DNA sequence: GGTGAAACTTCTAATAA
DNA sequence: TTATTAGAAGTTTCACC
């Protein structure tokens, strides 16, 4: 995985766009004392380099009735089945992320569901996958996402 | 937490914007056979209702040199310290999400770091918080995020 | 590399249906 | 609630530093 060198301007452009993808390039330009054309060129360059991979809307899923979050640890009968099971898990809607992990579990994933009843259905789908020995669930009582500030590219730059 | 009723058009607008926030309203309008003005009004309504909470750029942090992901389970000396410790954890950069959970751990969080050395520093910062008894780390060997399709609002609509 | 201005596209709000 | 429309605003290109 190559490591790209971004300069201060690139990082600041990224930071502004991470906070709000719809901030006008003209505003970015004004703030950084460069031209809108330059912002455009730099963004394009970062897109071409694969550093910017897309953009997404933040949606409040709780407001849509999906307020149940849990983490599910998966034990396999045999580690050779890891890739296969990971793919099956990824096919289940409401599983938002899945990892192959070291430690206690073979696979570890996060689910977002409507309520406990709905979560049960999702967890049973995982349990039913061939090769899954058993699962262990941790229910989230409260999720606290780090400020966007912390997810910003600035903290990922070399100091 | 109130549950909002979105119609089919709203969900499709959300879906298109979740996949790419910069898709022109005129394109959305064309695809859904409505006017751009209508798209504008509906998006504004969802923003006002708090369903749309913002937008963000997707960045490939691996390309920026941050390829280490781990989950850290935290045991507290006393559950009364939960909120306090959660806040301290949230102050640590590179902790991207933190949860209060049922089950084995009191708090459970995800970190993104540069390498094992850097991750060690982050984990030690968690260990050093007052009230933390000990931690348990699971290293992610492979992260597999569900297609955007699965995170889309469509699957969160009532059937 | 960056700029600034022109040409083009999109947004937005008011009006009308 | 939706459509139309026109002026405002944003994006993108390009000749020139």
């Amino acid at each position: 995985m190559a490591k790209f060198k971004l300069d201060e301007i690139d990082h600041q452009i990224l930071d502004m766009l991470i906070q709000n993808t719809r901030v006008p390039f003209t505003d970015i330009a004004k703030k950084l004392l460069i031209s809108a054309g330059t912002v455009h060129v730099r963004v394009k360059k970062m897109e071409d380099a694969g550093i910017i991979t897309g953009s997404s809307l933040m949606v409040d899923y709780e407001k849509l009735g999906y307020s149940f979050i849990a983490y599910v640890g998966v034990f396999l009968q045999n580690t050779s089945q890891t890739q296969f099971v990971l793919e099956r898990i990824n096919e289940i809607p409401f599983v938002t992320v899945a990892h192959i992990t070291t430690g206690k579990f073979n696979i570890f994933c996060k689910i977002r569901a409507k309520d406990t009843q709905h979560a049960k259905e999702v967890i049973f789908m995982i349990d039913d996958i061939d090769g899954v020995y058993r699962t262990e669930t941790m229910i989230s009582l409260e999720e606290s996402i780090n400020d966007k500030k912390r997810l910003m590219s600035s903290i990922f730059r070399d100091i």
Side-chain angles (χ1 to χ4, degrees), chain A:
Chain A
M1 232 23 102
K3 190 162 130 194
F4 278 76
K5 251 321 196 199
L6 303 183
D7 67 11
E8 195 55 32
I9 301 280
D10 291 325
H11 276 292
Q12 297 209 33
I13 291 171
L14 271 188
D15 286 353
M16 289 184 79
L17 289 174
I18 284 170
Q19 291 197 86
N20 174 15
T21 51
R22 284 189 177 263
V23 64
F25 286 6
T26 45
D27 285 10
I28 297 176
K30 224 173 289 168
K31 190 158 180 191
L32 304 184
L33 306 174
I34 52 179
S35 75
T38 303
V39 176
H40 178 241
V41 169
R42 282 171 176 261
V43 168
K44 191 145 189 42
K45 208 172 288 176
M46 291 190 278
E47 283 171 350
D48 292 345
I51 291 170
I52 293 174
T53 58
S55 61
S56 191
L57 212 61
M58 310 282 104
V59 174
D60 184 340
Y61 290 111
E62 290 212 12
K63 284 228 167 74
L64 295 176
Y66 287 76
S67 50
F68 190 98
I69 296 173
Y71 285 92
V72 180
V74 179
F75 296 89
L76 300 178
Q77 281 152 12
N78 195 308
T79 48
S80 66
Q81 300 157 310
T82 310
Q83 280 300 336
F84 171 81
V85 175
L86 186 70
E87 281 163 30
R88 294 295 83 66
I89 285 177
N90 249 335
E91 283 163 6
I92 301 173
F94 310 105
V95 171
T96 59
V97 211
H99 296 264
I100 297 174
T101 50
T102 63
K104 198 175 166 188
F105 308 116
N106 299 111
I107 292 175
F108 191 66
C109 61
K110 182 180 183 179
I111 67 175
R112 177 177 276 281
K114 213 170 194 163
D115 48 37
T116 44
Q117 174 58 33
H118 182 211
K120 195 188 74 182
E121 290 166 25
V122 176
I123 293 166
F124 280 9
M125 286 175 79
I126 296 174
D127 275 316
D128 282 349
I129 296 169
D130 268 354
V132 170
Y133 171 56
R134 67 182 189 87
T135 59
E136 208 173 288
T137 302
M138 281 190 294
I139 296 168
S140 169
L141 302 175
E142 183 180 325
E143 181 179 49
S144 153
I145 297 186
N146 234 326
D147 299 335
K148 279 190 178 178
K149 206 173 169 42
R150 304 238 177 62
L151 295 169
M152 281 165 32
S153 75
S154 339
I155 65 160
F156 291 112
R157 92 183 52 143
D158 284 329
I159 299 162

